[in-house]
Amino acid sequence: MIGIDDVRAARARIGDAVYRSPCARSEHFSRRCGATTYFKLENLQMTGSFKERGALNRLLTLQPEERRRGTITASAGNHAQAVAFHASRLGISSVVVMPKRTPLIKVANTRDMGGEVILHGDDFDAAYARAREIEAERDLTFVHPFDDDLVIAGQGTIGLELLDEVPDLDVVIVAIGGGGMISGIATAVKALRPQVEVIGVQTVAVPSMIRSLESGTPTLVPPATTIADGIAVKRPGERTLEIVCRLVDDIVTVGEEEIANAMLLLLEREKTVAEGAAATTLAALVNGHVPRAAGKKVCMVLGGGNVDVNLLARVIERGLMKDQRLVRLDVKLQDRPGALANLLRLVAEAEANVLEVHHERAFEGVSLGEVDVELTLETRGAEHAAEIVAQIEAAGLEIVERPEEHRRR
């Protein structure tokens, strides 16, 4: 079982090889959430996530023979990059087994950093099982992504920095996958300032730590798809479960739409890119899942920023639609010259920006003598969208409700 001395030893061991990330105060979210809020920006690490801390601490303790044989690990992406980068820097070979569905940016970065990448299985657990087989086949040293005392201690250095950067911290919110980061942070924080509350966040889709706490043993949950792929671990570690049970004050869950919206908020309001797993901490606070944070000093750990740009584009679009800054309207018009021009004039007068127009005569439900026009509009938000609808209807035009699956793309 690790303690504060192990975390301090890890900080001394990794030294300046890992970036001391800033803990930035957010004026916007402080006002919005009714708390003094900070973000620990681990997405600014060299490999884009906090995983460097634990990986490097483990690698630096390898015996000469273990270094000679080389290492292997399993990862959904961030631990893979951390091991590959620091192993290459230390002259150690590394093999990384990653799920086939790992975002391409994480796979490419791991290879660029010197790791031998093997894609296997649909999720972390399948990749982990294969990595253990290769460990035996090739006589390699396994570097566990979370259930290892040295890895946990390395992640705990975040907690030491937090207490230095926010001396009167009240609450820290941390994402949970396998549990390595929250275990390390809780070990450091509770040893030095036990009154600080440590709150974990999991997705509704993969609440493995919550189910394990309920059963009292590491419990496997069914696989599920989530944009927080970095914490989609179906079974937490034994070491991490014990620490979480003893030191973590509460664990809450967040949904996919909440995570996507938090990613957009961070990009727009904080000018920072956070992957889904990292954004769960803001999602928990901004959606009211951590009521005990009200009026207190709260730090959210942004664990990583390695997000696929295609996913980020979809998240942005979904977020804009949720805020009604991007809206689609189906309007029924008379099939005569000038009808479309009149509709577009109304939209222009309402100061909306037209992104797409689809003009359809043969669509199901469109009568002879009528046309259906689908508009995709950029607005200032829900209130502006409502004004646009009112202006169109006031002109005597009919807006048709159409199921999303019947819309044209």
Side-chain angles (χ1 to χ4, degrees), residues 303-322:
N306 294 313
V307 58
D308 182 83
V309 291
N310 293 315
L311 173 61
L312 188 60
R314 294 195 297 272
V315 164
I316 292 171
E317 184 177 40
R318 287 283 290 274
L320 292 174
M321 292 180 70
K322 183 175 183 291

Side-chain angles (χ1 to χ4, degrees), residues 84-98:
F85 175 70
H86 285 290
S88 295
R89 191 175 62 80
L90 296 171
I92 304 169
S93 66
S94 62
V95 179
V96 181
V97 185
M98 308 171 79

Side-chain angles (χ1 to χ4, degrees), residues 85 112 165 209 212 234 319 407:
F85 175 70
D112 289 344
E165 293 160 334
M209 186 64 80
S212 298
K234 294 189 296 182
R407 291 186 183 275

Side-chain angles (χ1 to χ4, degrees), residues 51-218:
K51 289 286 189 176
E52 287 190 39
R53 298 171 181 268
L56 179 57
N57 192 46
R58 179 70 179 89
L59 290 170
L60 289 172
T61 62
L62 292 178
Q63 298 300 310
E65 177 59 21
E66 293 175 316
R67 289 185 174 223
R68 185 193 64 77
R69 295 201 311 268
T71 63
I72 185 168
T73 193
S75 169
N78 287 338
H79 179 70
Q81 294 172 80
V83 170
F85 175 70
H86 285 290
S88 295
R89 191 175 62 80
L90 296 171
I92 304 169
S93 66
S94 62
V95 179
V96 181
V97 185
M98 308 171 79
K100 293 178 181 178
R101 297 178 182 178
T102 301
L104 291 177
I105 187 173
K106 295 183 179 182
V107 175
N109 286 349
T110 303
R111 287 182 172 137
D112 289 344
M113 291 169 183
E116 176 192 340
V117 175
I118 298 173
L119 298 177
H120 180 85
D122 292 329
D123 53 33
F124 167 78
D125 297 86
Y128 175 83
R130 180 58 185 142
R132 285 299 197 181
E133 292 173 353
I134 297 173
E135 173 193 9
E137 293 167 3
R138 295 168 59 171
D139 192 26
L140 302 173
T141 299
F142 193 79
V143 179
H144 203 287
F146 52 84
D147 207 27
D148 179 284
D149 287 345
L150 289 162
V151 170
I152 294 169
Q155 321 304 25
T157 60
I158 298 172
L160 296 180
E161 292 177 14
L162 281 178
L163 297 182
D164 290 340
E165 293 160 334
V166 189
D168 47 355
L169 181 67
D170 296 309
V171 180
V172 57
I173 306 175
V174 188
I176 301 178
M181 176 165 59
I182 197 168
S183 295
I185 290 175
T187 296
V189 167
K190 290 295 187 178
L192 299 176
R193 202 172 307 152
Q195 70 272 24
V196 175
E197 294 186 88
V198 180
I199 309 298
V201 188
Q202 292 204 287
T203 66
V204 171
V206 192
S208 57
M209 186 64 80
I210 293 175
R211 297 293 170 264
S212 298
L213 288 171
E214 292 170 349
S215 66
T217 187

Side-chain angles (χ1 to χ4, degrees), residues 227 255-264 310-328 404 409:
I227 59 173
E256 297 300 298
E257 290 295 333
E258 292 174 325
I259 300 168
N261 185 241
M263 292 173 70
L264 179 59
N310 293 315
L311 173 61
L312 188 60
R314 294 195 297 272
V315 164
I316 292 171
E317 184 177 40
R318 287 283 290 274
L320 292 174
M321 292 180 70
K322 183 175 183 291
D323 290 343
Q324 294 188 51
R325 286 184 287 167
L326 189 67
V327 298
R328 289 195 182 114
E404 190 66 25
R409 291 289 182 262

Side-chain angles (χ1 to χ4, degrees), residues 347 351-355 376-379 384:
V347 171
E351 299 182 341
N353 188 34
V354 179
L355 301 181
T376 302
L377 306 176
E378 186 178 42
T379 78
H384 187 206

